[in-house]
Amino acid sequence: MPLLEPDPGALRPVVRPEDASSDRVTDAGAGGTPEPLRSDLLALLGPEKVLTHISDLVRYASDASPYRFLPRVVVLPGTTAEVAAVLAYAREHGRQVVFRAAGTSLNGQAQGEDILVDVRRHWVGVEVLDEGRRARIAPGTTILRANTTLARHGRVLGPDPASAVACTVGGVVANNASGMTAGTTRNSYRTVASLTVVLPTGTVVDTAAPDADERLAAAEPELCAGLLALKREIEDDAALTARIRAKYTLKNTNGYRLDAFLDGTTPVEILRGLMVGSEGTFGFLSEIVFDTLPLDREVLTGLFFFPSLPAAAAAVPLFNEAGALAVELMDGNTLRASVQVEGVPADWAHLPGTTTALLVEFRAPDEERLAAFEAAAEAVLPRLTLVAPVASVTNTFTRDPGTIASYWKARKAFVTAVGGSRPSGTTLITEDFAVPPDRLAEACEALLALQTRHGFDAAVAGHAAHGNLHFLLAFDAGLPSDVARYAAFMDAFCRMTVERFDGSLKAEHATGRNIAPFLELEWGPRATGLMWRTKQLIDPAGVLAPRIVLDRDPEAHLRGLKSVPTVEPVADPCIECGFCEPTCPSNDLTTTPRQRIVLRREMMRQPSGSPVEARLLEAYGHDAVDTCAGDSTCKLACPVGIDTGAMMKAFRHQRHSTREERVATLTAEHFRVVEAAARLAVAAAAKIDDRLLSALTRGLRKVVRPDLMPEWLPAVPGPAKHRLPHTSRLDARAVYYPACVNRIFGGPEGHTGPSLAEAVVAVSARAGKPVWIPRDVRGTCCATIWHSKGYERADAVMANRIVEAAWGWTGGGQLPLVVDASSCTLGIAHEVVPYLTPANRELHRELTVVDSLVWAAEELLPELEILRTAGSAVVHPTCSMEHLRDVPQLMALAKACAEEVLLPDSARCCGFAGDRGLLHRELTESATAREAAEVTAREWDAYLSANRMCEIGMDHATGRTYRSALLELERATRPGDG
């Protein structure tokens, strides 16, 4: 063990329930994947694609659903051949397979108890076809990522689920998830052009291939004959045919798409339809080709408040008749819970209990058509009974993008915001049903009465235009009485939906585990029997996803309900939705924010000192704490702002010894000496061969804890110039603070122009807004160095020093403080505040801290003349820019300095995180892999960012040379020949 390695026991939960949870992982599971399963799959796929430790199995056991099942093993195949090999192994050894992508499914359909196959990590990519009219998409690609690419072509996918930021295309198609506007005409069933599928037998079918039917007939003759026989049987039954057609006039994802037998004429066409909504029970979708839709950019949106849920529901048909694309309903519980979401008016917390809102949106390709919609929409308003119970309510339409975005942010946060406000320790159930739209008001009244009868105060929201409602229930899955209450409610709810309204028990979330026992109630024995026969035909060995969609156990929906133990307050509201995962730098390396919380909850389920707890603690230090970049972009992605990065920093502090804290505090107290020493060390290193330095530091990391010994990377630049440029306080329009990282490290390799500090001074002077650099900046810092590592005393020392200094430099806040590194701007503007004394908090309130990007884009650029431009530039927005919301300013500078600018679709935090990329280079390499592939697909004239350490990280990841956008602005505006 390396020296100074922290004690894993330091992270053992201090406060936990008196009794271990009944659903905890048993001691027998501590060893992880059993033999021979472990050895067999390692031999089949290799160690990089098989996860066997108990920590891995636990983190994959939970998803956004109320269920929790521990897999025996997790595999990560990267090719269709590897998927086929896993399926062949399962058939030969009598094992079962479940596919999992984003884990955002709400009904447990992505959970398995044997072999779980991660089909997200190696399955990402978008290929635009026919100028955007079609797109070939890998199944692990998020809907947001696909739409970002398609937007450049004025196109968009039809399905638009609220979880688009996280859910994947494969999952959306497998569940036929739709969303706010898809209804029954824009969903996957209607917009998927073709699929490539790996059947349970290992046969690969590309439904777009001209000879697909011939190939399938040769490989699977019994399957082809069976599909055609079922087609004839259904078509010969006029009553059944009529029933199937009627069922799909509503949104319906319960059971298999029996209309595929009516819509398809050949086995391949039938198979294509059946695969949509099959929930991974028929095969693996390795590639999907969509027919895309026009992206109508003219938008009119309004949020209207009603006195009650039935009153709002009664207004829905009026907006439908006016041509609204979306009519979304939010009840009082939803509206009040959404105040946790940034940008939502705070006074919504005081809305009366019965208040309900409709979010109404019209979209058009041009102004003329939008104006026609607007006239029709305005004509509806006088016919409504509207209320304005709080000051922020306007009950008007708007075209303002910011206002529209805030409305949709509130609506899309339904599950997470309401779930985040549930009582601690309770499990969240999300139900989803549809009724004929003209009976929506009646269904709302019936639902409210049913909830009251069973003691639930549920939150209700939904796609009212399509008669599709969602509601949330919270109960304690560890209390038999609560489970019984939930069971009674579900029985009554399902019967009400089917028998009173002839509705769909699952409109868009798919059957999963919790509606499987009620499938026959909705469809009847004849149609349900056909679904069982279809499953037997396609998957005769029963390899894929048993007990999902089809289950004869009448209490299957009560099996595997997960307890939700109370954990650290910052993370306790988490409902494990997974919205945080795509933004996390370590999501393809170790753990994600959701998984860090899931692992913590399992520790809380365990009795203290159990074998499972010991194994989890052994892994948690590296997998959760050390490889967290601490960038807190998870907080931005989480609708209720859970900051898992902050929790990991707290855990780092928890692991520190008294001596480590004391040494860290000394470095802060004597930072002028530390800064000078660091610059000298960089200068000395610049004279030594990179290979020698890398070998030396790698050797030291084997002796000393790696988190304390950085690894030298060739991308690390030489030292900064010893002297900062001379400036004058007289007539200065701002105080310029060169960050310590830019006082230690020099510019990019080969750069012959001015330093960053010289560039900022020069370009500010050219714009007529000179800046002043105080002479005593050395020895000060934004405190992020210590903040990111959890050294709280050192953090407090430097936080108070920099605020006191900045207050003096700026004349008590009379001048803005311009900071030339985005992470340092974030640190001084926000992150130092909790560590300030009361007096210094008052000083901080008087400061105006401005990122250099904002200073350049908003204050300098309008006053500058662009004299030369680069042909092309690619930008890397840092995580701090995301927090500061100044990515638009980075883009503005890049577009001023280059003819062509790319913001990569895969751009996210680089994971370098100050020095974390030197401590764990694999974190940066993993975090930037997809972005690097985009960047290096061609050459660019300029590679731009605005944070020196992130630029070093991107240099390492791409082999290209990144530099500050302000250096490029200085070059573009430099008088003379440049």
Side-chain angles (χ1 to χ4, degrees), residues 74-107:
V74 178
V75 297
L76 301 95
T79 64
T80 54
E82 289 179 338
V83 172
V86 171
L87 294 175
Y89 176 84
R91 289 195 313 277
E92 292 166 10
H93 294 83
R95 309 208 72 103
Q96 299 162 344
V97 172
V98 170
F99 298 114
R100 170 175 169 145
T104 56
S105 298
L106 297 168
N107 299 326

Side-chain angles (χ1 to χ4, degrees), residues 14 535 538 575 651 688:
V14 177
K535 169 66 171 172
I538 297 175
I575 63 165
F651 284 155
I688 303 174

